[in-house]
Coordinates of all heavy atoms in Angstrom, one line a residue:
M1 N 0.8 -1.2 0.0 CA 0.0 0.0 0.0 C 0.9 1.2 0.0 O 0.6 2.2 -0.7 CB -0.9 -0.1 1.2 CG -1.9 1.0 1.3 SD -3.2 0.6 0.1 CE -4.5 1.8 0.6
K2 N 1.9 1.3 0.8 CA 2.8 2.4 0.9 C 3.6 2.6 -0.4 O 3.8 3.7 -0.8 CB 3.8 2.2 2.1 CG 4.5 3.4 2.5 CD 5.4 3.1 3.7 CE 5.9 4.4 4.3 NZ 6.7 4.2 5.5
A3 N 4.0 1.5 -1.1 CA 4.6 1.6 -2.4 C 3.7 2.3 -3.4 O 4.1 3.1 -4.2 CB 5.1 0.2 -2.8
Q4 N 2.4 1.9 -3.4 CA 1.4 2.5 -4.3 C 1.3 4.0 -4.1 O 1.2 4.8 -5.0 CB 0.1 1.9 -4.1 CG 0.0 0.5 -4.7 CD -1.4 -0.1 -4.5 OE1 -2.1 0.2 -3.6 NE2 -1.6 -1.1 -5.3
A5 N 1.3 4.4 -2.8 CA 1.2 5.9 -2.5 C 2.4 6.6 -2.9 O 2.3 7.7 -3.5 CB 1.0 6.1 -1.0
T6 N 3.6 6.0 -2.7 CA 4.8 6.6 -3.2 C 4.8 6.7 -4.7 O 5.2 7.7 -5.3 CB 6.1 5.9 -2.7 OG1 6.0 5.7 -1.3 CG2 7.4 6.5 -3.1
Q7 N 4.4 5.7 -5.4 CA 4.4 5.6 -6.9 C 3.4 6.7 -7.4 O 3.7 7.4 -8.3 CB 4.0 4.2 -7.3 CG 4.1 4.1 -8.9 CD 3.7 2.8 -9.4 OE1 3.3 2.0 -8.6 NE2 3.9 2.6 -10.7
S8 N 2.2 6.8 -6.8 CA 1.2 7.7 -7.1 C 1.7 9.2 -7.0 O 1.5 10.0 -7.8 CB -0.1 7.5 -6.3 OG -1.0 8.5 -6.7
K9 N 2.4 9.4 -5.9 CA 3.0 10.7 -5.6 C 4.0 11.1 -6.7 O 4.1 12.2 -7.1 CB 3.6 10.7 -4.2 CG 3.9 12.1 -3.6 CD 4.3 12.1 -2.3 CE 4.2 13.4 -1.6 NZ 4.7 13.3 -0.2
A10 N 4.9 10.1 -7.0 CA 5.9 10.4 -8.0 C 5.3 10.6 -9.3 O 5.8 11.5 -10.1 CB 6.8 9.1 -8.1
Q11 N 4.2 9.9 -9.7 CA 3.5 10.2 -11.0 C 2.9 11.6 -11.0 O 3.0 12.3 -12.0 CB 2.4 9.2 -11.3 CG 3.0 7.8 -11.6 CD 1.9 6.8 -11.7 OE1 0.8 7.0 -11.3 NE2 2.3 5.6 -12.4
S12 N 2.4 12.0 -9.9 CA 1.8 13.4 -9.8 C 2.8 14.5 -9.9 O 2.6 15.5 -10.4 CB 1.0 13.6 -8.6 OG 1.8 13.6 -7.4
R13 N 4.1 14.2 -9.6 CA 5.2 15.1 -9.7 C 5.6 15.3 -11.1 O 6.1 16.3 -11.5 CB 6.3 14.7 -8.9 CG 6.3 14.9 -7.5 CD 6.4 16.3 -7.1 NE 6.4 16.5 -5.8 CZ 6.1 17.7 -5.2 NH1 5.6 18.6 -6.0 NH2 6.1 17.9 -3.9
R14 N 5.3 14.4 -12.0 CA 5.7 14.5 -13.4 C 4.7 15.5 -14.1 O 5.0 15.8 -15.2 CB 5.7 13.1 -14.0 CG 6.7 12.3 -13.6 CD 6.8 10.9 -14.3 NE 7.5 9.9 -13.6 CZ 7.2 8.7 -13.2 NH1 6.0 8.3 -13.6 NH2 7.9 7.9 -12.6
R15 N 3.6 15.7 -13.6 CA 2.7 16.6 -14.2 C 3.0 18.0 -14.0 O 4.0 18.3 -13.3 CB 1.2 16.3 -13.7 CG 0.8 14.9 -13.9 CD -0.6 14.7 -13.4 NE -1.1 15.6 -12.4 CZ -2.3 15.7 -12.0 NH1 -3.2 14.8 -12.5 NH2 -2.7 16.5 -11.1
G16 N 2.3 19.0 -14.6 CA 2.5 20.3 -14.3 C 3.7 20.9 -15.1 O 4.1 20.3 -16.1
L17 N 4.3 22.0 -14.7 CA 5.4 22.6 -15.4 C 6.5 22.8 -14.4 O 6.6 23.9 -13.8 CB 4.9 24.0 -15.9 CG 3.9 24.0 -17.0 CD1 3.4 25.4 -17.4 CD2 4.4 23.3 -18.3
P18 N 7.2 21.8 -14.1 CA 8.3 21.9 -13.1 C 9.3 23.0 -13.3 O 9.9 23.6 -12.4 CB 9.0 20.5 -13.1 CG 8.6 19.9 -14.4 CD 7.3 20.5 -14.8
N19 N 9.6 23.4 -14.6 CA 10.4 24.5 -14.8 C 9.9 25.9 -14.6 O 10.6 26.9 -14.7 CB 11.0 24.4 -16.3 CG 12.0 23.2 -16.4 OD1 12.5 22.9 -15.5 ND2 12.0 22.7 -17.6
L20 N 8.6 25.9 -14.4 CA 7.9 27.2 -14.3 C 8.5 28.0 -13.1 O 8.8 29.2 -13.2 CB 6.4 27.0 -14.1 CG 5.6 28.3 -13.9 CD1 5.8 29.3 -15.0 CD2 4.1 28.0 -13.8
R21 N 8.7 27.3 -11.9 CA 9.1 28.0 -10.8 C 10.5 28.5 -11.0 O 11.0 29.7 -10.6 CB 9.2 27.1 -9.6 CG 9.8 27.7 -8.3 CD 9.7 26.8 -7.1 NE 8.3 26.7 -6.7 CZ 7.6 25.6 -6.4 NH1 8.2 24.5 -6.5 NH2 6.3 25.6 -6.0
L22 N 11.4 27.7 -11.6 CA 12.8 28.1 -12.0 C 12.8 29.4 -12.8 O 13.5 30.4 -12.5 CB 13.5 27.0 -12.7 CG 14.9 27.3 -13.3 CD1 15.8 27.4 -12.2 CD2 15.2 26.3 -14.3
W23 N 12.0 29.4 -13.9 CA 12.0 30.5 -14.8 C 11.3 31.7 -14.1 O 11.8 32.9 -14.3 CB 11.3 30.2 -16.1 CG 12.1 29.4 -17.0 CD1 12.0 28.1 -17.3 CD2 13.2 29.9 -17.7 NE1 13.0 27.6 -18.1 CE2 13.8 28.7 -18.4 CE3 13.9 31.1 -17.9 CZ2 14.9 28.8 -19.2 CZ3 15.0 31.2 -18.7 CH2 15.5 30.1 -19.3
R24 N 10.3 31.5 -13.4 CA 9.7 32.7 -12.6 C 10.7 33.3 -11.7 O 10.8 34.5 -11.6 CB 8.5 32.2 -11.8 CG 7.8 33.3 -11.0 CD 6.6 32.7 -10.3 NE 6.8 31.6 -9.3 CZ 7.4 31.7 -8.2 NH1 7.8 32.9 -7.7 NH2 7.6 30.6 -7.4
Q25 N 11.4 32.5 -10.9 CA 12.4 33.0 -10.0 C 13.6 33.7 -10.7 O 14.1 34.7 -10.3 CB 12.9 31.9 -9.0 CG 11.9 31.5 -8.1 CD 12.2 30.3 -7.3 OE1 13.2 29.5 -7.6 NE2 11.5 30.1 -6.1
R26 N 14.0 33.1 -11.9 CA 15.1 33.8 -12.6 C 14.6 35.2 -13.1 O 15.5 36.1 -13.3 CB 15.4 32.9 -13.9 CG 16.3 31.8 -13.6 CD 16.6 31.0 -14.8 NE 17.5 29.9 -14.5 CZ 17.9 29.0 -15.5 NH1 17.5 29.2 -16.7 NH2 18.6 28.0 -15.1
R27 N 13.4 35.4 -13.4 CA 12.9 36.7 -13.7 C 12.6 37.6 -12.6 O 12.2 38.7 -12.8 CB 11.6 36.5 -14.6 CG 11.8 35.8 -15.9 CD 12.7 36.5 -16.9 NE 12.7 35.9 -18.2 CZ 13.8 35.2 -18.7 NH1 14.9 35.2 -18.0 NH2 13.7 34.7 -19.8
G28 N 12.7 37.1 -11.3 CA 12.6 37.9 -10.2 C 11.1 38.1 -9.9 O 10.8 39.2 -9.3
L29 N 10.2 37.2 -10.3 CA 8.8 37.4 -10.1 C 8.2 36.6 -9.0 O 8.6 35.4 -8.8 CB 8.1 37.1 -11.4 CG 8.4 37.9 -12.6 CD1 7.8 37.3 -13.9 CD2 8.0 39.4 -12.4
S30 N 7.3 37.1 -8.3 CA 6.5 36.3 -7.3 C 5.4 35.7 -8.1 O 5.0 36.0 -9.2 CB 6.0 37.2 -6.3 OG 4.9 38.1 -6.7
I31 N 4.8 34.7 -7.4 CA 3.6 34.1 -8.0 C 2.5 35.1 -8.3 O 1.9 35.1 -9.3 CB 3.1 32.9 -7.1 CG1 4.0 31.7 -7.2 CG2 1.6 32.5 -7.6 CD1 3.5 30.6 -6.2
G32 N 2.3 36.0 -7.3 CA 1.3 37.1 -7.5 C 1.6 38.0 -8.7 O 0.7 38.4 -9.5
Q33 N 2.8 38.4 -8.8 CA 3.3 39.2 -10.0 C 3.0 38.5 -11.3 O 2.5 39.1 -12.3 CB 4.7 39.6 -9.9 CG 5.0 40.6 -8.8 CD 6.5 40.8 -8.5 OE1 7.2 39.8 -8.5 NE2 6.8 42.1 -8.2
L34 N 3.4 37.2 -11.4 CA 3.2 36.4 -12.6 C 1.6 36.3 -12.9 O 1.3 36.4 -14.0 CB 3.9 35.1 -12.5 CG 3.9 34.2 -13.8 CD1 4.5 35.0 -15.0 CD2 4.6 32.9 -13.5
A35 N 0.9 36.1 -11.8 CA -0.5 36.0 -12.0 C -1.1 37.3 -12.6 O -1.9 37.3 -13.5 CB -1.2 35.7 -10.6
D36 N -0.6 38.5 -12.1 CA -1.1 39.7 -12.6 C -0.7 39.9 -14.1 O -1.5 40.4 -14.9 CB -0.5 40.9 -11.7 CG -1.2 41.0 -10.3 OD1 -2.3 40.4 -10.1 OD2 -0.5 41.6 -9.5
M37 N 0.5 39.5 -14.4 CA 1.0 39.6 -15.8 C 0.2 38.8 -16.8 O 0.1 39.1 -18.0 CB 2.4 39.4 -15.8 CG 3.3 40.4 -15.1 SD 5.0 39.9 -14.9 CE 5.6 40.3 -16.6
T38 N -0.2 37.5 -16.3 CA -0.8 36.6 -17.2 C -2.3 36.6 -17.2 O -3.0 36.1 -18.1 CB -0.3 35.2 -16.9 OG1 -0.7 34.9 -15.5 CG2 1.2 35.0 -17.1
G39 N -2.9 37.0 -16.0 CA -4.3 37.0 -15.8 C -4.7 35.6 -15.3 O -6.0 35.3 -15.2
L40 N -3.8 34.8 -15.0 CA -4.1 33.4 -14.4 C -4.2 33.6 -12.9 O -3.7 34.6 -12.3 CB -3.0 32.4 -14.7 CG -2.7 32.1 -16.2 CD1 -1.5 31.2 -16.2 CD2 -3.9 31.4 -16.8
R41 N -4.9 32.8 -12.2 CA -5.0 32.8 -10.8 C -3.7 32.3 -10.2 O -3.0 31.5 -10.7 CB -6.2 31.8 -10.3 CG -7.5 32.3 -10.8 CD -8.5 31.3 -10.2 NE -9.9 31.7 -10.6 CZ -10.9 30.9 -10.7 NH1 -10.8 29.8 -10.2 NH2 -12.1 31.4 -11.0
R42 N -3.4 32.9 -9.0 CA -2.2 32.5 -8.2 C -2.3 31.0 -7.9 O -1.2 30.3 -8.0 CB -2.2 33.2 -6.9 CG -1.9 34.7 -7.0 CD -1.9 35.3 -5.7 NE -2.0 36.8 -5.9 CZ -1.9 37.7 -4.9 NH1 -1.7 37.3 -3.7 NH2 -1.9 38.9 -5.2
T43 N -3.4 30.5 -7.6 CA -3.5 29.0 -7.3 C -3.2 28.2 -8.5 O -2.6 27.1 -8.5 CB -4.9 28.6 -6.7 OG1 -5.9 29.0 -7.7 CG2 -5.1 29.2 -5.4
T44 N -3.6 28.7 -9.7 CA -3.3 27.9 -10.9 C -1.8 27.8 -11.2 O -1.2 26.7 -11.5 CB -4.0 28.6 -12.1 OG1 -5.5 28.6 -11.9 CG2 -3.6 27.8 -13.5
I45 N -1.1 29.0 -11.0 CA 0.3 29.0 -11.2 C 0.9 28.1 -10.1 O 1.9 27.3 -10.5 CB 0.8 30.5 -11.1 CG1 0.3 31.3 -12.3 CG2 2.4 30.5 -11.0 CD1 0.6 32.7 -12.2
A46 N 0.6 28.2 -8.8 CA 1.1 27.3 -7.8 C 0.9 25.9 -8.1 O 1.8 25.0 -8.0 CB 0.6 27.7 -6.5
H47 N -0.3 25.5 -8.6 CA -0.6 24.1 -8.9 C 0.2 23.6 -10.1 O 0.6 22.5 -10.2 CB -2.1 23.9 -9.2 CG -2.9 24.0 -7.9 ND1 -4.3 24.1 -8.0 CD2 -2.6 24.2 -6.7 CE1 -4.7 24.2 -6.7 NE2 -3.7 24.3 -5.9
L48 N 0.4 24.5 -11.1 CA 1.2 24.1 -12.3 C 2.7 23.9 -11.8 O 3.4 23.0 -12.3 CB 1.2 25.2 -13.4 CG -0.1 25.3 -14.1 CD1 -0.1 26.6 -14.9 CD2 -0.4 24.1 -14.9
E49 N 3.2 24.7 -10.9 CA 4.5 24.5 -10.4 C 4.8 23.2 -9.7 O 5.8 22.7 -9.8 CB 5.0 25.8 -9.6 CG 5.2 27.0 -10.3 CD 5.7 28.1 -9.4 OE1 5.7 28.0 -8.2 OE2 6.1 29.2 -10.0
D50 N 3.8 22.9 -8.9 CA 4.0 21.7 -8.0 C 3.4 20.4 -8.6 O 3.4 19.4 -7.9 CB 3.6 21.9 -6.5 CG 2.2 22.2 -6.4 OD1 1.4 21.8 -7.2 OD2 1.7 22.9 -5.4
G51 N 2.8 20.5 -9.8 CA 2.3 19.3 -10.4 C 0.9 18.9 -10.0 O 0.5 17.8 -10.4
R52 N 0.2 19.7 -9.4 CA -1.1 19.4 -9.0 C -2.2 19.6 -10.1 O -3.3 19.2 -10.1 CB -1.7 20.1 -7.7 CG -1.0 19.6 -6.5 CD -1.5 20.3 -5.3 NE -0.9 21.6 -5.1 CZ -1.2 22.5 -4.3 NH1 -2.2 22.3 -3.5 NH2 -0.6 23.6 -4.2
E53 N -1.7 20.3 -11.2 CA -2.6 20.6 -12.3 C -1.8 20.5 -13.6 O -0.7 20.8 -13.7 CB -3.1 22.1 -12.2 CG -4.1 22.4 -13.1 CD -4.7 23.9 -12.8 OE1 -4.8 24.2 -11.7 OE2 -5.1 24.6 -13.8
E54 N -2.5 19.8 -14.5 CA -1.9 19.7 -15.9 C -2.1 21.0 -16.6 O -3.1 21.6 -16.7 CB -2.6 18.5 -16.7 CG -2.1 17.2 -16.4 CD -0.7 17.0 -16.9 OE1 -0.3 17.5 -17.9 OE2 0.0 16.3 -16.1
P55 N -1.0 21.3 -17.4 CA -1.1 22.6 -18.1 C -1.9 22.5 -19.4 O -1.8 21.5 -20.0 CB 0.4 23.0 -18.5 CG 1.0 21.7 -18.4 CD 0.3 20.9 -17.4
Q56 N -2.7 23.4 -19.6 CA -3.4 23.5 -20.9 C -2.5 24.2 -21.9 O -1.6 24.9 -21.5 CB -4.8 24.3 -20.7 CG -5.7 23.7 -19.8 CD -6.2 22.2 -20.2 OE1 -6.5 22.0 -21.3 NE2 -6.1 21.3 -19.3
P57 N -2.7 23.9 -23.2 CA -1.8 24.6 -24.3 C -1.8 26.1 -24.1 O -0.8 26.7 -24.2 CB -2.5 24.1 -25.5 CG -3.1 22.8 -25.2 CD -3.7 23.0 -23.8
Y58 N -2.9 26.7 -23.7 CA -2.9 28.2 -23.6 C -2.1 28.6 -22.3 O -1.5 29.6 -22.4 CB -4.3 28.7 -23.6 CG -5.1 28.5 -22.3 CD1 -5.0 29.4 -21.3 CD2 -5.9 27.4 -22.2 CE1 -5.8 29.3 -20.1 CE2 -6.6 27.2 -21.0 CZ -6.6 28.2 -20.0 OH -7.3 27.9 -18.8
H59 N -2.0 27.8 -21.3 CA -1.2 28.1 -20.2 C 0.3 28.2 -20.7 O 1.0 29.1 -20.3 CB -1.3 27.0 -19.1 CG -2.5 26.9 -18.4 ND1 -3.0 25.7 -17.9 CD2 -3.4 27.9 -17.9 CE1 -4.2 26.0 -17.3 NE2 -4.4 27.2 -17.3
V60 N 0.7 27.1 -21.4 CA 2.1 27.1 -21.9 C 2.4 28.3 -22.8 O 3.4 28.9 -22.5 CB 2.4 25.8 -22.6 CG1 3.8 25.7 -23.2 CG2 2.1 24.6 -21.7
R61 N 1.5 28.6 -23.7 CA 1.8 29.8 -24.6 C 1.9 31.1 -23.8 O 2.8 31.9 -24.0 CB 0.7 29.8 -25.7 CG 0.8 28.8 -26.7 CD -0.2 29.1 -27.9 NE -1.6 29.2 -27.5 CZ -2.4 28.2 -27.4 NH1 -2.0 27.0 -27.8 NH2 -3.7 28.4 -27.0
L62 N 0.9 31.3 -23.0 CA 0.8 32.5 -22.2 C 2.1 32.7 -21.3 O 2.7 33.7 -21.3 CB -0.5 32.5 -21.4 CG -0.8 33.7 -20.6 CD1 -0.9 35.0 -21.4 CD2 -2.0 33.5 -19.8
L63 N 2.4 31.7 -20.5 CA 3.5 31.8 -19.6 C 4.8 31.9 -20.3 O 5.7 32.7 -19.9 CB 3.5 30.5 -18.7 CG 2.4 30.5 -17.7 CD1 2.2 29.0 -17.1 CD2 2.6 31.5 -16.5
A64 N 5.0 31.2 -21.4 CA 6.2 31.3 -22.2 C 6.4 32.8 -22.7 O 7.5 33.4 -22.7 CB 6.3 30.3 -23.3
R65 N 5.3 33.3 -23.2 CA 5.3 34.6 -23.8 C 5.7 35.7 -22.7 O 6.5 36.5 -22.8 CB 4.0 35.0 -24.5 CG 4.1 36.4 -25.1 CD 2.8 36.7 -25.9 NE 1.6 36.7 -25.1 CZ 0.5 36.0 -25.3 NH1 0.4 35.4 -26.4 NH2 -0.5 36.2 -24.5
V66 N 5.0 35.6 -21.5 CA 5.2 36.5 -20.5 C 6.7 36.4 -19.9 O 7.3 37.4 -19.6 CB 4.2 36.4 -19.3 CG1 4.6 37.1 -18.1 CG2 2.9 36.9 -19.8
L67 N 7.2 35.1 -19.8 CA 8.6 34.9 -19.3 C 9.6 35.1 -20.3 O 10.8 35.0 -20.0 CB 8.6 33.5 -18.7 CG 7.7 33.3 -17.4 CD1 7.8 31.8 -17.1 CD2 8.3 34.1 -16.2
E68 N 9.2 35.3 -21.5 CA 10.1 35.6 -22.6 C 11.1 34.4 -22.9 O 12.3 34.5 -23.0 CB 10.9 36.9 -22.4 CG 10.1 38.1 -22.4 CD 10.8 39.4 -22.1 OE1 11.9 39.4 -21.6 OE2 10.2 40.5 -22.4
I69 N 10.4 33.2 -22.9 CA 11.2 32.0 -23.2 C 10.4 31.2 -24.2 O 9.2 31.5 -24.4 CB 11.4 31.1 -21.9 CG1 10.1 30.8 -21.3 CG2 12.4 31.8 -20.9 CD1 10.2 29.8 -20.1
S70 N 11.0 30.2 -24.8 CA 10.2 29.4 -25.7 C 9.3 28.3 -25.0 O 9.6 28.1 -23.8 CB 11.2 28.5 -26.6 OG 11.9 27.6 -25.9
Q71 N 8.3 27.9 -25.6 CA 7.4 26.9 -24.9 C 8.2 25.7 -24.6 O 8.0 25.0 -23.6 CB 6.3 26.6 -25.9 CG 5.4 27.8 -26.1 CD 4.2 27.5 -27.1 OE1 3.7 26.4 -27.1 NE2 3.9 28.5 -27.8
L72 N 9.1 25.3 -25.4 CA 10.0 24.1 -25.2 C 10.8 24.2 -23.9 O 10.9 23.3 -23.1 CB 10.9 23.8 -26.4 CG 11.7 22.5 -26.3 CD1 10.7 21.3 -26.2 CD2 12.6 22.4 -27.5
E73 N 11.3 25.4 -23.7 CA 12.1 25.6 -22.5 C 11.2 25.5 -21.2 O 11.7 25.1 -20.2 CB 12.8 27.1 -22.4 CG 13.9 27.2 -23.4 CD 14.4 28.6 -23.5 OE1 13.6 29.5 -23.9 OE2 15.5 28.8 -23.1
L74 N 10.0 25.9 -21.4 CA 9.1 25.8 -20.2 C 8.7 24.4 -19.9 O 8.6 24.0 -18.7 CB 7.9 26.7 -20.5 CG 6.8 26.9 -19.4 CD1 7.5 27.5 -18.2 CD2 5.7 27.7 -19.8
V75 N 8.5 23.5 -20.9 CA 8.0 22.2 -20.6 C 9.1 21.1 -20.5 O 8.8 20.1 -20.0 CB 7.0 21.7 -21.8 CG1 5.8 22.6 -21.7 CG2 7.6 21.6 -23.1
S76 N 10.3 21.4 -20.9 CA 11.3 20.4 -20.9 C 12.3 20.5 -19.6 O 12.2 21.5 -19.0 CB 12.2 20.4 -22.1 OG 12.8 21.7 -22.3

């Protein structure tokens, strides 16, 4: 049972945009500032960063444009 919980947790970590936090911090932005710049909710950005939410294509396009990076840099 414990192994299943660990495996499930590991799979949920693969979702989201793990590089989002890195790029946001490199740009010196808080979650709130990035939310204001993109029009996304703070919770959406936090969930994308920690893998609790799958990014929609428009999330990737919007965040990459605001962070001035390619979409590939954001997802890889």
Side-chain angles (χ1 to χ4, degrees):
M1 187 78 168
K2 196 174 190 178
Q4 287 176 336
T6 304
Q7 184 180 10
S8 176
K9 197 174 194 178
Q11 286 176 345
S12 70
R13 283 286 184 207
R14 292 185 196 128
R15 300 182 339 170
L17 296 170
N19 289 334
L20 177 55
R21 179 175 288 133
L22 172 73
W23 283 106
R24 177 179 58 76
Q25 290 174 342
R26 283 184 180 176
R27 298 293 187 248
L29 299 170
S30 68
I31 289 177
Q33 289 170 320
L34 186 56
D36 290 342
M37 294 170 76
T38 59
L40 297 173
R41 293 182 181 162
R42 291 179 194 186
T43 54
T44 300
I45 293 171
H47 290 175
L48 289 170
E49 285 186 354
D50 64 22
R52 287 184 280 172
E53 189 171 327
E54 273 299 319
Q56 298 299 313
Y58 73 91
H59 290 145
V60 177
R61 285 191 303 269
L62 181 61
L63 290 163
R65 185 174 60 228
V66 168
L67 293 170
E68 299 177 341
I69 59 174
S70 71
Q71 294 177 33
L72 185 60
E73 288 175 296
L74 189 57
V75 299
S76 59

